[in-house]
Short mmCIF file of all heavy atoms in Angstrom, two decimals:
data_model
loop_
_atom_site.label_atom_id
_atom_site.label_comp_id
_atom_site.label_asym_id
_atom_site.label_seq_id
_atom_site.Cartn_x
_atom_site.Cartn_y
_atom_site.Cartn_z
N TRP L 171 42.46 96.92 101.28
CA TRP L 171 43.12 97.50 102.50
C TRP L 171 42.60 98.92 102.80
O TRP L 171 42.39 99.26 103.98
CB TRP L 171 44.69 97.61 102.31
CG TRP L 171 45.12 96.21 101.84
CD1 TRP L 171 45.76 95.86 100.61
CD2 TRP L 171 44.97 94.90 102.47
NE1 TRP L 171 46.03 94.56 100.50
CE2 TRP L 171 45.49 93.95 101.67
CE3 TRP L 171 44.36 94.55 103.63
CZ2 TRP L 171 45.52 92.56 101.97
CZ3 TRP L 171 44.39 93.17 103.97
CH2 TRP L 171 44.93 92.21 103.10
N ILE L 184 39.81 90.06 108.91
CA ILE L 184 41.01 89.69 108.17
C ILE L 184 42.13 89.30 109.11
O ILE L 184 42.82 88.19 108.87
CB ILE L 184 41.49 90.81 107.20
CG1 ILE L 184 40.38 91.09 106.17
CG2 ILE L 184 42.81 90.50 106.60
CD1 ILE L 184 40.68 92.23 105.26
N ASP L 185 42.38 90.09 110.14
CA ASP L 185 43.55 89.75 111.03
C ASP L 185 43.31 88.41 111.73
O ASP L 185 44.27 87.60 111.69
CB ASP L 185 43.65 90.83 112.09
CG ASP L 185 44.03 92.16 111.48
OD1 ASP L 185 44.50 92.26 110.44
OD2 ASP L 185 43.85 93.24 112.24
N MET L 188 43.82 85.57 109.09
CA MET L 188 45.19 85.33 108.72
C MET L 188 45.96 84.72 109.93
O MET L 188 46.87 83.89 109.72
CB MET L 188 45.89 86.66 108.24
CG MET L 188 45.33 87.26 107.04
SD MET L 188 44.88 86.06 105.69
CE MET L 188 46.46 85.20 105.47
N ALA L 189 45.65 85.15 111.09
CA ALA L 189 46.31 84.55 112.25
C ALA L 189 45.98 83.00 112.41
O ALA L 189 46.80 82.21 112.77
CB ALA L 189 45.83 85.18 113.55
N ASP L 191 45.40 81.01 109.89
CA ASP L 191 46.24 80.37 108.83
C ASP L 191 47.70 80.30 109.37
O ASP L 191 48.29 79.25 109.24
CB ASP L 191 46.17 81.17 107.57
CG ASP L 191 46.99 80.58 106.53
OD1 ASP L 191 46.82 79.40 106.18
OD2 ASP L 191 47.99 81.21 105.98
N ALA L 192 48.18 81.39 109.99
CA ALA L 192 49.58 81.35 110.51
C ALA L 192 49.76 80.22 111.53
O ALA L 192 50.79 79.62 111.54
CB ALA L 192 49.90 82.70 111.14
N ASP L 215 58.67 91.11 109.27
CA ASP L 215 57.57 90.56 108.60
C ASP L 215 56.68 91.54 107.95
O ASP L 215 56.10 92.36 108.53
CB ASP L 215 56.72 89.72 109.68
CG ASP L 215 55.60 88.83 109.05
OD1 ASP L 215 55.50 88.88 107.80
OD2 ASP L 215 54.82 88.30 109.77
N VAL L 216 56.84 91.57 106.60
CA VAL L 216 56.24 92.63 105.79
C VAL L 216 54.75 92.22 105.51
O VAL L 216 54.54 91.17 104.92
CB VAL L 216 56.99 92.78 104.46
CG1 VAL L 216 56.34 93.94 103.68
CG2 VAL L 216 58.45 93.09 104.76
N GLY L 217 53.83 93.07 106.03
CA GLY L 217 52.39 92.82 105.96
C GLY L 217 52.15 91.65 106.93
O GLY L 217 51.44 90.61 106.63
N GLY L 218 52.66 91.77 108.19
CA GLY L 218 52.57 90.71 109.20
C GLY L 218 51.25 90.58 109.89
O GLY L 218 51.20 89.78 110.76
N GLY L 219 50.36 91.42 109.58
CA GLY L 219 49.08 91.31 110.30
C GLY L 219 49.13 91.64 111.74
O GLY L 219 49.86 92.61 112.17
N THR L 223 52.44 85.61 113.34
CA THR L 223 53.49 84.92 112.62
C THR L 223 54.79 85.03 113.35
O THR L 223 55.56 84.07 113.72
CB THR L 223 53.65 85.37 111.18
OG1 THR L 223 52.46 84.98 110.51
CG2 THR L 223 54.86 84.76 110.48
N PHE L 239 55.71 94.51 110.56
CA PHE L 239 55.33 95.69 109.80
C PHE L 239 54.09 95.54 109.09
O PHE L 239 53.91 94.57 108.29
CB PHE L 239 56.53 95.93 108.84
CG PHE L 239 56.44 97.11 107.98
CD1 PHE L 239 56.60 98.38 108.53
CD2 PHE L 239 56.12 97.04 106.62
CE1 PHE L 239 56.38 99.51 107.74
CE2 PHE L 239 56.01 98.14 105.84
CZ PHE L 239 56.13 99.37 106.37
N ASP L 240 53.23 96.47 109.28
CA ASP L 240 51.85 96.44 108.59
C ASP L 240 51.38 97.87 108.49
O ASP L 240 51.97 98.81 109.06
CB ASP L 240 50.95 95.48 109.27
CG ASP L 240 49.87 94.87 108.27
OD1 ASP L 240 49.12 95.67 107.66
OD2 ASP L 240 49.90 93.67 108.13
N LEU L 241 50.24 97.99 107.83
CA LEU L 241 49.65 99.33 107.72
C LEU L 241 49.30 99.87 109.11
O LEU L 241 48.99 99.09 110.09
CB LEU L 241 48.40 99.22 106.85
CG LEU L 241 48.63 98.81 105.44
CD1 LEU L 241 47.32 98.40 104.77
CD2 LEU L 241 49.25 100.05 104.69
N VAL L 244 46.41 98.54 111.04
CA VAL L 244 46.51 97.21 111.46
C VAL L 244 47.34 97.04 112.74
O VAL L 244 46.92 96.34 113.73
CB VAL L 244 47.08 96.27 110.42
CG1 VAL L 244 47.21 94.80 110.84
CG2 VAL L 244 46.07 96.34 109.17
N GLY L 260 53.42 101.36 108.58
CA GLY L 260 53.83 102.05 107.39
C GLY L 260 53.32 101.34 106.11
O GLY L 260 52.52 100.47 106.23
N ASP L 261 53.78 101.89 105.00
CA ASP L 261 53.30 101.37 103.69
C ASP L 261 54.55 100.68 103.00
O ASP L 261 55.54 101.33 102.81
CB ASP L 261 52.85 102.58 102.86
CG ASP L 261 52.35 102.11 101.47
OD1 ASP L 261 52.68 100.97 101.10
OD2 ASP L 261 51.77 102.96 100.76
N MET L 262 54.37 99.46 102.73
CA MET L 262 55.54 98.63 102.23
C MET L 262 55.96 99.23 100.88
O MET L 262 57.12 99.01 100.41
CB MET L 262 55.19 97.17 102.03
CG MET L 262 54.13 96.88 100.99
SD MET L 262 53.99 95.05 100.69
CE MET L 262 52.87 94.52 101.92
N PHE L 263 55.08 99.99 100.16
CA PHE L 263 55.57 100.53 98.86
C PHE L 263 56.36 101.78 99.03
O PHE L 263 56.95 102.35 98.10
CB PHE L 263 54.29 100.75 98.05
CG PHE L 263 53.63 99.46 97.70
CD1 PHE L 263 52.34 99.15 98.28
CD2 PHE L 263 54.18 98.56 96.87
CE1 PHE L 263 51.74 98.01 98.04
CE2 PHE L 263 53.61 97.31 96.55
CZ PHE L 263 52.38 97.06 97.14
N LYS L 275 54.47 86.53 103.95
CA LYS L 275 53.45 85.43 103.86
C LYS L 275 52.13 85.94 103.45
O LYS L 275 51.65 86.96 103.97
CB LYS L 275 53.39 84.74 105.26
CG LYS L 275 52.38 83.67 105.24
CD LYS L 275 52.24 83.03 106.62
CE LYS L 275 51.04 82.21 106.77
NZ LYS L 275 49.79 83.02 106.77
N ALA L 276 51.56 85.26 102.45
CA ALA L 276 50.29 85.64 101.91
C ALA L 276 50.21 87.10 101.61
O ALA L 276 49.26 87.80 101.94
CB ALA L 276 49.20 85.23 102.90
N ALA L 277 51.20 87.60 100.91
CA ALA L 277 51.17 89.05 100.52
C ALA L 277 50.66 89.20 99.13
O ALA L 277 50.82 90.25 98.52
CB ALA L 277 52.57 89.57 100.69
N TYR L 279 47.80 89.70 98.01
CA TYR L 279 46.75 90.75 97.84
C TYR L 279 47.29 92.20 97.83
O TYR L 279 46.61 93.12 97.62
CB TYR L 279 45.73 90.67 98.96
CG TYR L 279 44.71 89.62 98.84
CD1 TYR L 279 44.48 88.64 99.89
CD2 TYR L 279 43.87 89.56 97.70
CE1 TYR L 279 43.51 87.78 99.78
CE2 TYR L 279 42.87 88.56 97.66
CZ TYR L 279 42.71 87.66 98.68
OH TYR L 279 41.69 86.67 98.61
N CYS L 280 48.67 92.22 98.15
CA CYS L 280 49.23 93.51 98.39
C CYS L 280 49.97 93.94 97.12
O CYS L 280 51.09 93.49 96.79
CB CYS L 280 50.21 93.46 99.48
SG CYS L 280 49.65 92.67 100.91
C1 SAM O 271 46.70 88.57 103.30
S1 SAM O 271 47.29 89.44 104.70
C2 SAM O 271 48.59 88.40 105.29
C3 SAM O 271 48.89 88.67 106.77
C4 SAM O 271 50.07 87.81 107.25
N1 SAM O 271 51.29 87.99 106.40
C5 SAM O 271 49.78 86.33 107.22
O1 SAM O 271 50.04 85.64 106.33
O2 SAM O 271 49.23 85.90 108.32
C6 SAM O 271 48.14 90.80 103.89
C7 SAM O 271 48.59 91.88 105.00
O3 SAM O 271 49.39 92.82 104.35
C8 SAM O 271 49.02 94.13 104.84
N2 SAM O 271 49.23 95.17 103.81
C9 SAM O 271 48.54 95.42 102.68
N3 SAM O 271 48.98 96.41 102.01
C10 SAM O 271 50.10 96.85 102.69
C11 SAM O 271 51.09 97.88 102.52
N4 SAM O 271 50.93 98.68 101.46
N5 SAM O 271 52.04 98.09 103.43
C12 SAM O 271 52.04 97.28 104.59
N6 SAM O 271 51.25 96.29 104.80
C13 SAM O 271 50.22 96.03 103.89
C14 SAM O 271 47.56 93.92 105.19
O4 SAM O 271 47.14 94.86 106.19
C15 SAM O 271 47.48 92.51 105.74
O5 SAM O 271 47.74 92.48 107.09
#
Side-chain angles (χ1 to χ4, degrees):
W171 312 120
I184 295 179
D185 295 344
M188 294 320 303
D191 179 56
D215 185 3
V216 181
T223 294
F239 179 72
D240 207 298
L241 294 165
V244 175
D261 178 350
M262 66 169 87
F263 297 107
K275 173 180 165 293
Y279 279 126
C280 312

